[in-house]
Amino acid sequence: MFKQFFMSPFMRFSRVPAFLKVTVTTSILLNLLVNPSFAGDPFRSRNPHNIGDRTEAAFKAIFQQGNYPVAKDYLQKAISSEPNEPLIYAIQASLAYQNGDWTSLDKNSKKTLETAQNLIAIDPLRGNLYSSVGHFLEGAVILRREGTVNGASQAFSRLRKVYMYLDKAESISANDPELNLIRGYMDLMLAVNLPFSSPDDVIQRLQKNAAPSYLVDRGIAIAYRDLKQYPPALDYVNRSLKTTADNPELYYLKAQILYAKGKKEKSQNLIKEAISHFDKALTKKSQLPANLVKQIEHERNQAYAVISQ
């Protein structure tokens, strides 16, 4: 999930190697602001872990509100108040990837792994989980630095460690919602992009065990979009919109699905509806990264060109 695993969830995967597709997939996992007076855990309604108020606020600023400037402010504060939380650095790494800041990606990938390893003694579930994420991020750094040909061997060595640590976390609490969200996003993107895999079992596990639900529904919508199964993709993006209606990235996702469905069915009405959702996403462009705004505008113009022919 690292434009699903930690970046904006709407990057196209068709020209990206399978390992990087998964990496790009988890920005999102991990794009309503919370009251910082509450204990911070955006994943668990019962038995919360000690994640931190500002880390939780940053997480929700991205994934509930789609508000990146607010999230960045919370992240900077969290580094001071919650410096041992690996989720902070995982999100920082994903934002660096999104912005093409490879130095920051390298730095925050290392920091994710370092803090995760230190956390194992205190919180073995999350320590092992984010050790997995840290190795995942470092695999992305290797592919970026070495290229897909020269870096493939090292990257897949990291991938083995990713699943080694995921298995360790799963042995501690197989039904944990944070674990199942992150692993579910990884497994789902692999299932979507590898021809011998089926996403059905992964979707069922996500629905049963992962949280928060708005990210579960969003991830499933993206998977169905990439599988070109547009009716269930619309169903799941609408589910996510019911609880995170202020997030402009969800209107972008719905616009993509409507546009693809409209092209397939040669429906001008669906494409016009897609344009309205592109426009709705752009009403909040000030809170989105500049490169994402450019991509939304590009796809909106493509859709407008189709109905103008």
Side-chain angles (χ1 to χ4, degrees):
M1 310 194 152
F2 280 118
K3 214 170 174 169
Q4 257 326 324
F5 203 105
F6 282 117
M7 290 175 27
S8 169
F10 306 110
M11 180 176 182
R12 296 289 186 178
F13 299 105
S14 58
R15 298 181 181 177
V16 188
F19 178 85
L20 190 53
K21 289 175 183 178
V22 184
T23 304
V24 168
T25 290
T26 306
S27 152
I28 86 276
L29 295 179
L30 299 150
N31 220 242
L32 183 91
L33 301 176
V34 296
N35 184 335
S37 65
F38 295 107
D41 188 336
F43 305 101
R44 302 167 188 85
S45 58
R46 294 181 300 173
N47 302 317
H49 287 236
N50 185 23
I51 293 175
D53 302 331
R54 287 170 171 168
T55 302
E56 181 187 31
F59 182 94
K60 291 190 173 183
I62 293 174
F63 295 114
Q64 286 189 338
Q65 290 276 332
N67 194 324
Y68 287 78
V70 168
K72 288 179 181 177
D73 182 58
Y74 273 121
L75 286 169
Q76 288 304 312
K77 292 175 180 177
I79 289 171
S80 298
S81 63
E82 300 148 17
N84 299 318
E85 172 51 55
L87 180 56
I88 297 170
Y89 308 105
I91 295 174
Q92 292 273 54
S94 75
L95 295 175
Y97 190 103
Q98 187 178 58
N99 295 324
D101 184 348
W102 312 123
T103 300
S104 182
L105 173 62
D106 189 15
K107 173 186 172 183
N108 283 288
S109 297
K110 288 182 169 64
K111 193 67 176 176
T112 301
L113 185 56
E114 176 190 334
T115 52
Q117 291 281 289
N118 292 336
L119 187 61
I120 289 174
I122 303 166
D123 185 341
L125 171 64
R126 298 191 70 248
N128 280 294
L129 176 58
Y130 283 94
S131 292
S132 170
V133 171
H135 282 294
F136 214 85
L137 287 163
E138 293 210 332
V141 172
I142 291 167
L143 288 175
R144 172 65 196 176
R145 184 178 61 238
E146 304 292 338
T148 55
V149 176
N150 294 332
S153 176
Q154 293 181 66
F156 277 100
S157 175
R158 291 284 182 174
L159 188 59
R160 285 192 292 271
K161 292 183 179 180
V162 166
Y163 280 95
M164 178 187 78
Y165 281 105
L166 279 177
D167 289 343
K168 288 182 178 181
E170 194 169 74
S171 70
I172 297 166
S173 181
N175 296 327
D176 180 74
E178 185 178 13
L179 165 65
N180 279 280
L181 183 73
I182 292 175
R183 182 157 199 165
Y185 262 77
M186 287 185 184
D187 291 344
L188 192 55
M189 291 307 110
L190 281 174
V192 166
N193 290 286
L194 296 177
F196 54 81
S197 300
S198 170
D200 295 340
D201 291 342
V202 182
I203 288 172
Q204 289 179 10
R205 290 197 302 272
L206 267 171
Q207 290 174 317
K208 181 179 179 181
N209 295 320
S213 61
Y214 59 85
L215 278 181
V216 172
D217 293 335
R218 185 173 177 179
I220 294 172
I222 292 165
Y224 279 127
R225 177 202 67 187
D226 291 348
L227 290 166
K228 299 181 172 56
Q229 297 181 26
Y230 303 121
L234 282 172
D235 178 40
Y236 278 95
V237 75
N238 285 333
R239 292 187 195 190
S240 192
L241 276 165
K242 286 181 180 179
T243 52
T244 49
D246 292 333
N247 190 335
E249 291 186 293
L250 284 171
Y251 293 100
Y252 175 32
L253 174 57
K254 187 170 181 177
Q256 287 184 317
I257 297 166
L258 287 166
Y259 175 68
K261 190 172 190 289
K263 287 271 286 182
K264 181 180 179 180
E265 298 177 6
K266 298 181 180 179
S267 169
Q268 293 266 315
N269 288 334
L270 283 173
I271 294 174
K272 288 177 182 178
E273 189 179 353
I275 291 170
S276 73
H277 282 78
F278 284 125
D279 288 339
K280 193 163 187 176
L282 290 168
T283 62
K284 294 189 176 182
K285 63 182 181 181
S286 63
Q287 68 188 50
L288 296 172
N291 57 350
L292 179 58
V293 171
K294 289 180 182 178
Q295 183 61 28
I296 297 171
E297 290 173 339
H298 173 70
E299 293 181 36
R300 190 263 182 206
N301 292 339
Q302 280 186 321
Y304 188 79
V306 171
I307 64 168
S308 300
Q309 291 174 351

